[in-house]
Amino acid sequence: MPVIDTHVRVAAWLHIVQGALAVCVIVFLGMIFGFAGAAAGASAQGRDANILAWVASFGVALFAFILAFPLLEIVGGVMLLGGRSAGRVITLVFSVLGLINIPIGTAIGAYSLWALLREAPPAPADAVVVQPGMRST
């Protein structure tokens, strides 16, 4: 497993949490509008029922399309935690898109851009690891 900088790891977890919260909100709103549509469809008859069925199928397609974005953000965060370069790209894209989402998305996006675009600190070459029971000099 590759060594990941602490700030990159925090940015990945922020995007995973943000994506999970977005999925929860989208599913909740989908349930509300789905139940409202089902109630309206149950009372419709004839030609109105056909139109409502068409609108409902459009709503389901739109729901699936909108749900794909936070799911992709979660996948990007998990891939970033795994050290994959594709996860870095996906997280960068969602960081830029998140800048519009004031104030939380702006903070997460700015922090993620800073963490992902900066140069990684070099690993200390002269680090000494002291094992338990060893004497340090």
Side-chain angles (χ1 to χ4, degrees), residues 19-133:
L21 288 174
V23 166
C24 291
V25 168
I26 291 169
V27 167
F28 179 72
L29 289 176
M31 287 173 51
I32 288 175
F33 285 112
F35 289 139
S43 65
Q45 296 177 1
R47 188 169 182 211
D48 292 339
N50 292 337
I51 293 172
L52 280 175
W54 210 91
V55 170
S57 63
F58 176 74
V60 168
L62 184 65
F63 171 76
F65 179 74
I66 292 173
L67 189 64
F69 287 103
L71 290 176
L72 185 60
E73 186 174 11
I74 294 170
V75 168
V78 170
M79 289 174 71
L80 184 61
L81 281 176
R84 294 187 176 164
S85 61
R88 181 178 287 275
V89 172
I90 293 170
T91 306
L92 279 170
V93 168
F94 279 106
S95 297
V96 170
L97 293 174
L99 293 174
I100 301 168
N101 189 7
I102 298 173
I104 303 298
T106 304
I108 293 173
Y111 176 74
S112 298
L113 286 173
W114 172 79
L116 294 171
L117 295 177
R118 68 187 176 96
E119 286 187 28
D126 59 346
V128 177
V129 179
V130 178
Q131 297 289 336

